[in-house]
């Protein structure tokens, strides 16, 4: 079946502009995660959704970052007033949640964001 | 303290040889999971193998096995019969507690397979 998809694959934006990154998880995966990968910081967790609610937003670096998920499916990560330090690859992942089992997370191809 | 430590920034291995990538972890949660992911130069993160904290046996998936030593808090990845296509970054990650909680990643090991 289809994997996790993300769009756009690349985004170049000017400092101060807002950007929206989209993630479409694997069908049936109720858990959705956003991570950020940058040279200086490695792979960092941003936010986790279970269905449409976000029980863990602890990784969002500032109030310029927000995310939502609708219909238990597609999620959008929004960065307002982008800064150069926001340049990174933004990765989305989804996983199955069933009973008490721990399931692996499947990652999308990422969105490379460059803030000029 | 780092939750996941990968001390080998880079490793070389000859084709067809086995290689061990090190990973140590730190947690006080009795319920946790350990994961290894591969990231080729194309950038996608590929799930390789999973070990649960209560699993009695070491996990194996094809040429990948996880050497889980709970008392030492280590979860090393062993790749047998290395292939050129195994050249990539390898990340160890941990999930603590809840069934769907976040992954915490190590800094990764870049593996280069040579002829």
């Amino acid at each position: 079946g289809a994997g996790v998809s993300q769009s756009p694959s690349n985004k170049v934006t000017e400092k101060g502009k807002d950007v929206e990154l989209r993630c479409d998880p694997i069908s049936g995966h109720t858990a959705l995660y956003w991570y950020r990968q940058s040279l200086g910081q490695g792979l960092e967790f941003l936010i986790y959704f279970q269905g449409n609610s976000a029980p863990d937003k602890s990784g969002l670096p500032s109030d310029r970052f927000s995310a939502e998920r609708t219909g238990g499916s597609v999620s959008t990560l929004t960065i307002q007033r982008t800064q150069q330090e926001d340049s990174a690859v933004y990765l989305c992942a989804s996983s199955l949640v069933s009973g008490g089992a721990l399931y692996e997370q499947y990652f999308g191809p990422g969105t490379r964001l460059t803030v000029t | 303290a780092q939750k996941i430590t990968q001390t080998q920034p880079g490793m070389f291995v000859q084709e067809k040889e086995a290689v061990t990538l090190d990973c140590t972890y730190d947690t006080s949660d009795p319920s946790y999971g350990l994961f290894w992911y591969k990231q080729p130069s194309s950038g996608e993160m590929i799930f390789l193998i999973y070990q649960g904290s209560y699993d009695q046996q070491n996990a194996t998936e094809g040429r990948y096995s996880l050497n889980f030593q709970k008392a030492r808090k280590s979860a090393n990845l062993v790749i047998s019969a290395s292939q050129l296509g195994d050249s990539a970054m390898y990340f160890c990650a941990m999930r603590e507690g809840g069934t769907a909680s976040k992954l915490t990643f190590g800094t990764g090991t870049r593996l280069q397979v040579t002829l």
Side-chain angles (χ1 to χ4, degrees):
Chain A
V4 178
S5 60
Q6 292 186 246
S7 60
S9 54
N10 277 286
K11 177 73 177 176
V12 180
T13 190
E14 290 181 352
K15 178 181 170 182
K17 302 277 191 183
D18 297 352
V19 295
E20 283 190 353
L21 312 180
R22 176 189 167 107
C23 172
D24 204 338
I26 293 171
S27 178
H29 283 193
T30 57
L32 185 149
Y33 311 80
W34 284 98
Y35 295 87
R36 178 168 74 171
Q37 185 173 26
S38 57
L39 280 175
Q41 302 297 323
L43 269 153
E44 307 171 275
F45 166 77
L46 297 177
I47 186 169
Y48 149 58
F49 286 93
Q50 178 56 45
N52 292 336
S53 63
D56 189 351
K57 306 179 186 179
S58 62
L60 293 177
S62 75
D63 58 8
R64 295 187 296 106
F65 288 72
S66 63
E68 65 174 11
R69 189 179 184 194
T70 54
S73 181
V74 171
S75 175
T76 303
L77 177 70
T78 301
I79 309 172
Q80 295 179 309
R81 305 180 303 282
T82 51
Q83 303 294 313
Q84 288 186 329
E85 62 263 27
D86 300 334
S87 295
V89 176
Y90 289 81
L91 293 165
C92 176
S94 70
S95 76
L96 192 61
V97 178
S98 179
L102 292 173
Y103 289 94
E104 62 271 21
Q105 295 178 18
Y106 290 92
F107 283 78
T111 293
R112 181 175 296 278
L113 175 66
T114 304
V115 182
T116 61
Chain B
Q2 293 290 326
K3 285 195 176 270
I4 294 285
T5 301
Q6 293 181 256
T7 57
Q8 305 154 315
M11 291 279 285
F12 286 88
V13 64
Q14 273 196 316
E15 198 180 19
K16 300 177 188 173
E17 297 293 309
V19 62
T20 298
L21 306 184
D22 294 342
C23 173
T24 58
Y25 61 92
D26 183 27
T27 181
S28 56
D29 197 319
S31 176
Y32 55 90
L34 297 156
F35 302 78
W36 279 90
Y37 284 84
K38 172 184 178 182
Q39 188 176 43
S41 56
S42 53
E44 75 269 32
M45 294 285 284
I46 302 167
F47 166 72
L48 295 178
I49 196 167
Y50 161 75
Q51 181 84 42
S53 58
Y54 295 119
D55 293 344
Q56 296 296 313
Q57 307 269 12
N58 284 346
T60 60
E61 288 287 347
R63 294 186 298 110
Y64 305 107
S65 60
L66 201 154
N67 184 0
F68 182 45
Q69 297 188 42
K70 195 169 182 177
R72 297 178 62 183
K73 294 190 173 179
S74 75
N76 298 340
L77 177 70
V78 180
I79 306 174
S80 62
S82 297
Q83 301 171 356
L84 293 177
D86 294 335
S87 295
M89 280 290 285
Y90 288 80
F91 291 96
C92 180
M94 177 171 64
R95 182 161 62 197
E96 297 170 278
T99 56
S101 53
K102 66 188 180 190
L103 290 175
T104 301
F105 286 87
T107 51
T109 295
R110 182 170 297 281
L111 178 67
Q112 186 69 46
V113 181
T114 62
L115 290 170

